[in-house]
Amino acid sequence: MDIPPVVSNPLIEKKSLFVPTLDEVAKVLQDGLKSNFAQVEVKVVDCPDLTQKPFTLACKGLGGNPSVVEVGGVPYLLPLVKREKLYDFKDVARWSEINPAFIIGACAGPWPYAGVNCEMMANLSVSGNDVDNHTRIAKINTNDDSCILEILPNTETRIALLANLFLSEGKPGKVLQVHCKTRTGNDDFIASIRKTLQDHYKEKAVGLGGTFVLKEAKAKQHIMPDFSTVRLNSDQDVENWLHFYNQSPPLVAVGTLVSADPGLDLRVQHFHSFSHHGEGGHYHIDTEPASADYLGYFALGEQVVRIDRPVETHDFGRD
Ligand SMILES: [Zn+2]
């Protein structure tokens, strides 16, 4: 199969996000998350060194030009794949005008490298053409349906189809520390944060990115199989196509959320998680709410950068 070149001249749209103080957001979350978790502690702290375990991210902090960046979208995957939608992280950093760039988030992995469609947990630093890549991909072992998790080499910096990324200069700084235990509501960790912000900030779009570790509880996660050759036209079609797993903790997730869409056809939340025991995928929700223990570090994005927004769009397949 011919491998297309990466997209070189996409439409790039930028908008400011609403940026409340971290102290205010901490108070809003401290009050709101109690409707979904028995124990909630939200604080403003100096970002811990995220290169250390369990996070093992490519840079220490989330500071410096913090930006929510969405590339492509689900309409490039469904109803049928558009294989020409390949991008390079180095270009994404350049288009976002962030250098050096610490890039984390949830994406479709580079099928030309993996040999198949796959999940990606972006985690790398890019400075010009210098790359320090800790990005992982998760794909399905077709022999026994198990998960294959691997780290990409510095030379592989492509993304396929869609990406929800948080870019910063990786500097230290103040962040939100969100610690929630014992889930009592029906929302996943990220949805509970997003809905709390949405209730408070209404049409003002607040964007967050960062990382969280799920300790103790297992989680429902999916891995995409190879591209469907038949059209997938609905959420039900997509659910039948995806492969779902009940993966073990600790799981380290990376991604973004926005409380409202400022007219850019954004995916409002998207986190993928990896582990140090061979499992990874697209985070849906913990499956053991009584023992769920989430610890997250998040920064507020100051801008949203929308790259190569699909012209023909739809709203299924975004869960
Ligand atoms: Zn995903």
Side-chain angles (χ1 to χ4, degrees):
M1 186 179 304
D2 288 343
I3 307 295
V6 292
V7 171
S8 60
N9 192 21
L11 175 66
I12 299 166
E13 299 162 279
K14 296 179 182 175
K15 283 194 180 179
S16 297
L17 287 163
F18 182 65
V19 188
T21 65
L22 284 177
D23 286 324
E24 180 182 299
V25 176
K27 185 176 183 315
V28 169
L29 292 177
Q30 179 68 45
D31 293 341
L33 294 178
K34 284 178 185 159
S35 64
N36 212 54
F37 291 93
Q39 292 182 51
V40 176
E41 186 179 40
V42 185
K43 294 195 289 192
V44 179
V45 300
D46 288 312
C47 194
D49 182 350
L50 297 175
T51 65
Q52 301 301 302
K53 279 197 167 185
F55 299 103
T56 63
L57 301 188
C59 291
K60 290 182 176 181
L62 300 169
N65 209 352
S67 303
V68 172
V69 179
E70 178 159 354
V71 184
V74 174
Y76 295 157
L77 171 69
L78 310 169
L80 288 170
V81 64
K82 291 184 169 29
R83 287 184 187 262
E84 69 276 20
K85 294 299 184 183
L86 283 173
Y87 310 89
D88 191 307
F89 280 122
K90 298 193 290 294
D91 293 329
V92 171
R94 190 164 48 82
W95 294 329
S96 304
E97 298 179 271
I98 298 172
N99 186 42
F102 171 35
I103 305 173
I104 50 175
C107 337
W111 58 264
Y113 176 88
V116 289
N117 186 24
C118 57
E119 305 291 335
M120 174 190 262
M121 305 79 186
N123 174 20
L124 70 161
S125 67
V126 173
S127 180
N129 284 320
D130 290 338
V131 175
D132 180 23
N133 206 353
H134 300 254
T135 296
R136 288 166 175 81
I137 56 171
K139 60 186 181 182
I140 297 170
N141 182 339
T142 51
N143 291 323
D144 60 3
D145 209 42
S146 63
C147 169
I148 300 172
L149 188 71
E150 55 184 282
I151 297 184
L152 296 182
N154 289 343
T155 49
E156 181 52 66
T157 53
R158 286 173 295 182
I159 324 163
L161 309 174
L162 59 93
N164 292 92
L165 303 168
F166 192 76
L167 268 67
S168 69
E169 292 165 4
K171 292 178 177 169
K174 297 288 184 189
V175 293
L176 291 163
Q177 175 183 280
V178 184
H179 190 193
C180 292
K181 287 176 78 167
T182 313
R183 183 168 57 81
T184 52
N186 292 324
D187 286 328
D188 66 80
F189 182 53
I190 295 303
S192 63
I193 293 173
R194 177 176 58 79
K195 290 179 180 180
T196 297
L197 295 176
Q198 183 183 18
D199 285 347
H200 188 84
Y201 292 107
K202 312 294 184 195
E203 76 288 348
K204 292 176 184 163
V206 176
L208 254 73
T211 184
F212 69 84
V213 58
L214 171 59
K215 301 179 269 187
E216 309 301 331
K218 290 188 171 188
K220 176 186 178 184
Q221 304 221 117
H222 79 234
I223 303 175
M224 296 184 289
D226 207 1
F227 302 116
S228 177
T229 53
V230 298
R231 294 175 68 87
L232 303 173
N233 291 314
S234 67
D235 280 326
Q236 191 58 55
D237 286 352
V238 175
E239 188 151 327
N240 293 340
W241 170 69
L242 292 170
H243 290 219
F244 289 93
Y245 298 84
N246 194 25
Q247 295 185 334
S248 296
L251 292 164
V252 175
V254 283
T256 63
L257 69 93
V258 288
S259 67
D261 184 347
L264 292 172
D265 194 19
L266 300 179
R267 192 164 179 168
V268 294
Q269 70 175 71
H270 197 191
F271 277 74
H272 286 181
S273 66
F274 65 87
S275 68
H276 298 285
H277 54 264
E279 292 182 301
H282 171 114
Y283 167 78
H284 285 270
I285 193 167
D286 63 84
T287 57
E288 296 169 318
S291 57
D293 184 342
Y294 291 94
L295 176 63
Y297 293 97
F298 304 99
L300 298 179
E302 293 172 357
Q303 63 166 348
V304 57
V305 181
R306 188 71 174 99
I307 297 169
D308 204 24
R309 170 157 64 112
V311 176
E312 286 183 45
T313 192
H314 55 64
D315 63 1
F316 62 92
R318 299 195 186 194
D319 187 8

